[in-house]
Amino acid sequence: MIKRRRFLNVATSSLGGFSMAYLLGSCNQQSQKDVANSSSSLAIKTKVLRMGYQSAGDLVRNRQVLEKRLDPLGIKVEWLQFAQGPQLMEGMAARRVDIGSVGETPPIFAQVAGSDIVYVVGTQRNAGTGRSSVIAVPPESPLTKFEEIKGQEVYFQKGSASHYFMLRALQSIGLTIKDIKIKSMATIEARAAFLEGKIPVWMTGDPHYAIAEKMGRIRVLRDSVGLDSPGGYYIADRKFAQENPGVLKILIEELHTLDKWAEVNRDEVKKLMITQQKLDEDVAERVMSRRTFAGRRGLSPALIAEQQRVADLFFKEGVIPKKINISDALLPSDLYAAITPPEIMV
């Protein structure tokens, strides 16, 4: 586990305060011209790709699709596990991770904190997306509906996708983030306390949700269906992305192929969950019943606008201390065109 440093001062600070020391610590950026020049050759300079993944598991890692493409090129893939997206982004800020998969929120907090990152590719969303992320209470809780959440202590990881989920869910009932008491804790750390009835309101997702379901220790107040998240992203360290556009292209191609494979081989995916994540078969079945493999989405103007809307909402609600431009964390459009399959650039 990477030692917590200044990134989590942003993600876990009070809603009105951030570590100014970290905000001043952004890295110098290479010129856009240098990045554009690299797109024509799709250079690969690295001999090691350090991939970050979260404790909930990673199908790319389990299927070893990157290893199959990169081993013949003499590139070793190293996998580093993190509790959630904010911790992964902290690892990238410390230059210990080259690329990682996170939700829509962690890169916004990372950009506010001065991390030198770029968006690589997004994730498609569909109408059913969001059933695996929930705001829940123990079965014995006196709360019977989400509207009763005002004034409650709510446990989730600040700076994670749960932060946006909660913000939007509160908006839907006319409340703001200031109407609850946020207790920041990684999902995997909070699970045991919740199962024992020590946490009043918990924001969680699969497989933790499915484990609590099996134990009969969770009652859902609402899920995140319809809360208009643009979806998750693969994020890269800017310097790595500039020097290795060929690796980004291979990554996106393999993700695109893997999504299509997973949607038609759901039983195989379930078996991987059981063996790789050590899940009981019925828990894996619950997870798969809520999981979709909608595919990747290129960094098109439409997706960029959706992510900017999320960042603007965090600023408007006083969650982040300054307005940011998502465009500052992008590669040139011609490079995206060179590394992204045309069919997902919509």
Side-chain angles (χ1 to χ4, degrees):
M1 177 67 68
I2 290 177
K3 182 180 179 181
R4 295 191 176 191
R5 301 174 74 179
R6 289 172 291 182
F7 176 78
L8 288 186
N9 288 337
V10 174
T12 64
S13 64
S14 66
L15 296 182
F18 286 76
S19 170
M20 291 307 297
Y22 194 90
L23 294 177
L24 296 174
S26 62
C27 302
N28 292 330
Q29 296 182 3
Q30 188 174 328
S31 71
Q32 292 286 313
K33 180 179 179 181
D34 291 339
V35 185
N37 288 341
S38 70
S39 68
S40 61
S41 60
L42 293 180
I44 297 179
K45 294 185 178 181
T46 191
K47 292 298 180 182
V48 178
L49 170 60
R50 300 169 301 175
M51 291 290 297
Y53 73 103
Q54 298 183 37
S55 59
D58 191 292
L59 185 59
V60 181
R61 173 177 175 268
N62 294 343
R63 286 280 293 171
Q64 296 189 314
V65 294
L66 293 179
E67 287 83 349
K68 293 171 184 175
R69 286 286 301 275
L70 295 176
D71 280 351
L73 301 178
I75 301 172
K76 179 182 178 181
V77 182
E78 295 180 353
W79 292 90
L80 296 91
Q81 187 178 43
F82 298 87
Q84 284 183 247
Q87 290 86 346
L88 192 158
M89 297 308 302
E90 180 197 1
M92 190 171 293
R95 293 290 175 84
R96 297 184 181 183
V97 179
D98 299 317
I99 302 175
S101 176
V102 297
E104 80 288 296
T105 302
I108 291 172
F109 277 69
Q111 192 176 343
V112 169
S115 293
D116 208 11
I117 59 171
V118 293
Y119 290 80
V120 177
V121 70
T123 305
Q124 291 281 1
R125 305 284 284 179
N126 61 33
T129 301
R131 294 188 299 123
S132 63
S133 298
V134 297
I135 300 169
V137 296
E140 64 274 13
S141 170
L143 302 184
T144 60
K145 54 185 179 179
F146 180 62
E147 287 75 9
E148 297 170 346
I149 198 173
K150 186 174 183 179
Q152 294 293 319
E153 290 185 352
V154 183
Y155 286 71
F156 64 89
Q157 172 74 68
K158 286 184 180 179
S160 71
S162 294
H163 213 147
Y164 178 68
F165 173 13
M166 176 54 73
L167 190 63
R168 289 289 293 114
L170 289 169
Q171 273 194 328
S172 73
I173 58 172
L175 299 179
T176 74
I177 204 79
K178 296 177 182 179
D179 289 314
I180 61 171
K181 301 171 184 176
I182 296 176
K183 301 295 182 180
S184 186
M185 184 180 293
T187 301
I188 195 168
E189 296 173 3
R191 189 176 76 196
F194 179 81
L195 293 175
E196 294 172 4
K198 297 178 180 178
I199 287 178
V201 184
W202 186 35
M203 298 186 66
T204 189
D206 283 327
H208 312 288
Y209 171 25
I211 291 169
E213 269 189 315
K214 179 181 179 179
M215 298 177 67
R217 291 296 304 155
I218 192 167
R219 179 158 50 82
V220 174
L221 296 182
R222 75 156 298 164
D223 58 29
S224 65
V225 173
L227 293 183
D228 64 14
S229 165
Y233 299 90
Y234 272 80
I235 304 295
D237 171 78
R238 181 182 292 275
K239 186 173 185 293
F240 181 89
Q242 290 172 336
E243 295 180 347
N244 297 280
V247 172
L248 303 186
K249 185 174 189 294
I250 289 171
L251 171 67
I252 297 172
E253 289 172 351
E254 290 304 317
L255 291 171
H256 186 44
T257 300
L258 183 60
D259 287 332
K260 291 187 286 186
W261 174 87
E263 192 58 39
V264 298
N265 292 276
R266 297 180 67 86
D267 285 343
E268 291 299 315
V269 176
K270 184 176 72 173
K271 290 176 184 177
L272 284 170
M273 286 183 178
I274 293 169
T275 59
Q276 298 295 322
Q277 298 182 48
K278 312 301 181 186
L279 299 179
D280 293 340
E281 184 173 358
D282 55 346
V283 170
E285 187 68 47
R286 289 174 187 268
V287 173
M288 287 301 297
S289 72
R290 292 186 282 259
R291 184 166 183 179
T292 61
F293 299 94
R296 299 297 138 178
R297 188 177 178 192
L299 267 297
S300 64
L303 179 54
I304 295 165
E306 289 178 33
Q307 184 69 356
Q308 185 65 56
R309 173 181 49 77
V310 176
D312 290 346
L313 180 61
F314 274 121
F315 176 68
K316 178 182 177 182
E317 295 296 319
V319 179
I320 58 176
K322 64 179 183 179
K323 184 177 175 63
I324 61 168
N325 292 318
I326 300 301
S327 60
D328 292 338
L330 296 176
L331 296 166
S333 58
D334 64 333
L335 182 50
Y336 283 122
I339 66 176
T340 308
E343 61 266 33
I344 68 171
M345 189 58 80
V346 293

